[in-house]
Amino acid sequence: MHMPSHMPPSPSAPPLYRRLAAHYRGAIEAGSLAQGERMPSLRSLMRLHDISLSTALQLCRTLESDGWAEARDRSGYFVRKPQRLQMMPMGEPAASTSFDPAQYVGIHARVSDFVARRRAADVKVNLSTARAAPQLYPAEALRSNMARALRLRPELLSGAPPLRGDLNFRTALAKRAVSSGMTLSPEEVLVTNGCIEALNLALRAVAQPGDTIAVESPTFYGLLQVLESLGLRALEIPTSPQTGLSVEALELAFQAYDDIKAVVVIPHLQNPLGSVMPDAHKERLVRLCESRRVALVEDDTYTELLDVDTMPRAIKSWDRGGNVIHCASLHKILAPGLRLGWISAGRWQARVEMLKYTLSRHNEVLSQIGAGEFMGSGAYDRHLRRLRAALRVQRERTAEAIARYFPAGTRLNLPNGGLQLWVELPGMCSSADVFDVALREGIAVAPGLLFSNSQRTNHFLRINCGWPYDDAVDNAIRRLGRIASTL
Amino acid sequence: MHMPSHMPPSPSAPPLYRRLAAHYRGAIEAGSLAQGERMPSLRSLMRLHDISLSTALQLCRTLESDGWAEARDRSGYFVRKPQRLQMMPMGEPAASTSFDPAQYVGIHARVSDFVARRRAADVKVNLSTARAAPQLYPAEALRSNMARALRLRPELLSGAPPLRGDLNFRTALAKRAVSSGMTLSPEEVLVTNGCIEALNLALRAVAQPGDTIAVESPTFYGLLQVLESLGLRALEIPTSPQTGLSVEALELAFQAYDDIKAVVVIPHLQNPLGSVMPDAHKERLVRLCESRRVALVEDDTYTELLDVDTMPRAIKSWDRGGNVIHCASLHKILAPGLRLGWISAGRWQARVEMLKYTLSRHNEVLSQIGAGEFMGSGAYDRHLRRLRAALRVQRERTAEAIARYFPAGTRLNLPNGGLQLWVELPGMCSSADVFDVALREGIAVAPGLLFSNSQRTNHFLRINCGWPYDDAVDNAIRRLGRIASTL
C-alpha cells in the first residue's frame, strides 16, 4: 500500500491523520477495502505509516466520524460504507407543459412570519440560515488590510466614494472572473450592497411591475421576496437536483408565456438544491435567451464553494451580445459581515449604474480595499481551500446524521460544495409542522414552503451545515429526525 | 467700546481676529458704525484691543473679505454694507389652483446627460455638487474610532451584521433626535445606505407605481430621480424661498388630486432653496396629512448645518399616529465617504424593515461604530460649530462675489446655513446655456432645469459653497457672472 505520509506536506496541507483518512477513504470507495472488512489494527497502522499511537487513533476516529468505519467492542475498527450513500436520491422533475399560473402573493407574509417566530423563539441551534461559522473566515487578514488603509488614507472617510467602487477591488474581481472564462474590464464591474442589491438592480433594469420572471423551482426565498416587492410575477421552472434548471422546460414556458422578461438562475450550488448545471446546459440556456431577447440573470454567489480544483465556466462566459447580467457577492465566501456584491450588466450597464446611483449612491470603500488586497494575494486561494475542506466535513457529517436519524424514505442529494443540505421528507410530512415543533425545542430549520410560491416543496427542509459538527448539532439533527418520524 | 478680546477664549473658540471681526460686524449691523465711515486706524485698533499689528491687519482684511469694509489707498479702511445685502430677494410663489399635470418623464435623461457631460469635461472648479471640502470633516477622530473597533472586534467582519444596524449608533441617533423634539427608541431607527436609500424605502412602503407624490418645487434632482425610477408621479407644490413648502398650495392640491399617496418635504435648509419652515407651518402640515391619511416623508439631512444655537423641531416631533416618516443621513454633516443614513417610519416601520432586508440586507457595521462613538462625545458638537462657521464664511463670500460679478437683476436669498446658494438669473437667461459655456471653461454648476420637471427653474443656478473661498473659486464666479451677462 502506498504511503502518502512520507510525502512532505505543504504548509497549508491538512494534518497527517486527515490525509491518511482521505487515503483509506479512497481505498474503500475503490473497493480495495470491502464493507465489513476489519481495518488494520492500531499497531499495524503505526508500523505501516510510521506514525504515533495518537495519530493512528485520530485516523481511525476520523474515519468513524466521517462514516467510513465503525468501532466494535474489543475487536477494533471495521470498514463500512456511509449510510448517506445509501439514501435514495431525489427524483427528477417532469418538464411539464402546464405551469402554475404566475403567482406572486404570499412569500413576504410567509417569510415575515417565519423570521418573526424564529426571532421570538429561544433558538439554541440555528440550522435555518445559509451561513458559516465566523472562525472559517479570514477576519484577521481583512482587519489588518483595512486598518492599514485607514491609517494611510483617512480621506476615505471625508471624501466622496469613487465611482462604481474601489478600482483595485474591481480589478481583482475582473481578474478573478478570468478563471470562470469571463472577460471583463474593471469598468464593467459595479460594486453593490451585496448580491441582493445586484439582483434588485438587474430586475429593475429589465422589467416593469406586472412582468413575469422565470426562476428555478425551488429557489431561495430572498429572490422570491425581491420579485414580490418589485411587483414582478415569479414563474417557477422545473429544476433538477443534479443538473439545475431544465432548459427544456424553460423553452416550453417561453412558448406558453410571451411576457417573460428575464430568467434568474444560480448555475452552481443552486440554493437550496445544490445542483450544478453542466456546461452544455449553460450554453444552451444562453443561446435560448439570446434568441428570445430575454435577459438572463446569473447569480454566481456560491461558485467558489464548489469542491473542485478548476472553477466551472460562468454563464456570462458564453455571452456575446451583452444579454447576460452577472451578479455575485463575497458574503458567503470571504466575509459575512461585509456587504460586498457586484454586478456586470452587459447591455444594461448604463441603466444599472443610474439605478444604483438613484437607489443608494456609491458604496463605502474601506471594506472593498481590504477585500481587494486579500483577493490579490495567494492567501485568498489558501482560504478557499480551507473553507471548502471544513464545509465538506460538516456536510458529510450532517448527511450521515440525517441518514441515521431521519425516517426511512427520506431523500437527499449530497451537493459537491456549499453550506446546506436540501432534504426531502417521506410521504407528505409537512416541514411547516416540523419547523413548529422543532422551534419549541430551540432548533431552527428553514421549512420548504419558503422556497416556492407553490405547495410543491412543503415536505422539504433546508438544513445549514455551516457550523462545526458538534454534539449540539448532532442532538438537533436527531431531534429533527424524531419529530419528522412522529408527524 | 466693549473689548471682547479680554475675555478668555474657550479652547474651541475661533481665533481672536475672527471674534473681533464679528464684534465690528455687529456694530455695523446695529448702526453704531455707519456706511462710509472711516474705521479706526490700525494703530488705534492695536491700542484699543491690546493686539499686535498683525492681528489688527488680519481683523481689517477679514472685514474686507467678508464684505464689511473696503480699503482705500493711503486712507485706511472704510465701513461698507456688503453688496449681497442689497440684492433683490426672490419672489414668493403664487399658491395657484392650477397645477402642472403630474409629469414624471425626463429627469433621468436630463441628469444622465448632465452627469455624463460633467464627467467628460476637464472640470477645474466644480460648483455643481452639494459637498463640502474633506478637511472640514473629522476624519482623524472617525479613523481612530474605527481602527480601535477593528482591533477589538475583528468578528465584525466574519459574523452577520446586527439587525437594524449597530445598537450604539442607533442609540446615539435616538438621543440626538431628542434635541429636535422627537421621542424615538433605538428599535425605531433602521440604518440605511444613506438618506437616498431611506427615501426609496419610504416611498416604496407607502406608494405603488403610478401613484402621485407631492414634492416641493424646486427640489433636489435626486428625489425626482427616485420618483421616476419607481414609476411615481411628482406633483410639484409651490415653495417659498423663505418659508418652504406652501401648505395652502398643498391643501389645494389635495382637493384637485385624490391619488396623492405621500408628501416629501425638506423642512430645514431645503435643497436647493435653503428655506426653513416655521414651526406653525410644520405643525399645520402634519395635521393636514394626518387628516387626509397621506404619508408625510421628512428629509432631515441638512438640519444640523443650520446656523442656530438651538435646533428647530423636526416635523416628526408633531406626529401622533405614526404618519410621519423621518429620513436623514450623516453624509453632509459628518463624513461624505460613509453611507450612513437612517429611517424611522412610524406605522410603516415593519414594512420598511422587510423592504430593506429584501433590497440590501443589514448594513456593514464598522462605520456605524465609528460614527456612533463620535456622536456620543462632545467632539461632535465642536465639529458642527466649526463646520457651520467655515460654511458661513464660504457662503457669504460666494454671495458677495455673485452680488459683485453677476448681472443687475440677479436675485439671491442668503440661507442661514448649508452648502449652497440658489441664484435666480435676470430675464430669461437660460442656465442650461450658462452650464454649457462654463463647462467648456472648466467650471461646473448645477443648472436649474435639474430641479423641476417643469420649465419653471430654467433660469436658476445652484452654486456649491462647500469649498474654501480662494482665487480659483473667485475667478470661477466672475466668469459665471460674465457668461450670464452676455447670454
Side-chain angles (χ1 to χ4, degrees), chain A residues 108 111-113 115 119 131-135 137-140 142-143 146-147 150-152 154-161 163-164 193-194 196-198 200 204 209 220-223 225-227 229-230 331 334-340 351 353-355 357-368, chain B residues 108 111-113 115 119 131-135 137-140 142-143 146-147 150-152 154-161 163-164 193-194 196-198 200 204 209 220-223 225-227 229-230 331 334-340 351 353-355 357-368:
Chain A
H108 262 317
V111 175
S112 299
D113 178 63
V115 170
R119 277 191 203 154
R131 185 178 296 159
Q135 62 268 29
Y137 294 101
E140 184 44 39
L142 293 171
R143 187 202 67 70
M146 288 166 70
L150 268 177
R151 205 166 55 239
L152 301 177
E155 81 284 359
L156 296 177
L157 311 178
S158 51
L163 285 181
R164 300 189 185 108
N193 290 294
I196 203 80
E197 189 181 63
N200 272 273
R204 287 181 59 190
F220 76 113
Y221 56 83
L223 176 60
Q225 284 182 298
V226 171
L227 293 178
S229 74
L230 295 176
H331 192 61
L334 185 62
L338 302 183
R339 300 296 306 145
L340 293 174
R351 185 163 161 72
E353 286 191 9
M354 182 50 89
L355 283 170
Y357 181 79
T358 302
L359 184 60
S360 60
R361 302 287 189 264
H362 310 299
N363 281 37
E364 287 182 14
V365 84
L366 185 61
S367 55
Q368 298 174 49
Chain B
H108 262 318
V111 175
S112 300
D113 179 63
V115 170
R119 277 190 203 155
R131 184 179 297 157
Q135 62 269 29
Y137 295 101
E140 183 45 40
L142 292 171
R143 187 202 68 70
M146 287 166 71
L150 268 176
R151 205 166 56 239
L152 301 177
E155 82 285 358
L156 296 177
L157 310 178
S158 51
L163 285 181
R164 299 189 187 111
N193 290 294
I196 203 80
E197 190 182 65
N200 271 273
R204 287 181 60 191
F220 76 112
Y221 55 82
L223 176 61
Q225 284 182 298
V226 171
L227 293 177
S229 74
L230 296 176
H331 191 61
L334 184 63
L338 302 183
R339 300 296 305 144
L340 292 174
R351 183 161 162 73
E353 286 192 8
M354 182 49 89
L355 283 171
Y357 181 80
T358 301
L359 184 59
S360 60
R361 303 287 189 262
H362 310 299
N363 280 37
E364 287 182 13
V365 85
L366 184 61
S367 54
Q368 298 174 50

Side-chain angles (χ1 to χ4, degrees), chain B residues 37-57:
Chain B
E37 192 173 331
R38 186 197 297 266
M39 282 284 295
S41 68
L42 290 173
R43 199 174 303 259
S44 36
L45 286 171
M46 288 164 67
R47 226 181 315 117
L48 201 56
H49 301 294
D50 194 13
I51 56 180
S52 67
L53 175 64
S54 127
T55 302
L57 260 170

Side-chain angles (χ1 to χ4, degrees), chain A residues 103-125:
Chain A
Q103 292 158 318
Y104 66 109
V105 182
I107 275 290
H108 262 317
R110 278 189 212 173
V111 175
S112 299
D113 178 63
F114 158 73
V115 170
R117 288 170 59 205
R118 193 190 59 196
R119 277 191 203 154
D122 179 20
V123 174
K124 290 180 193 79
V125 182

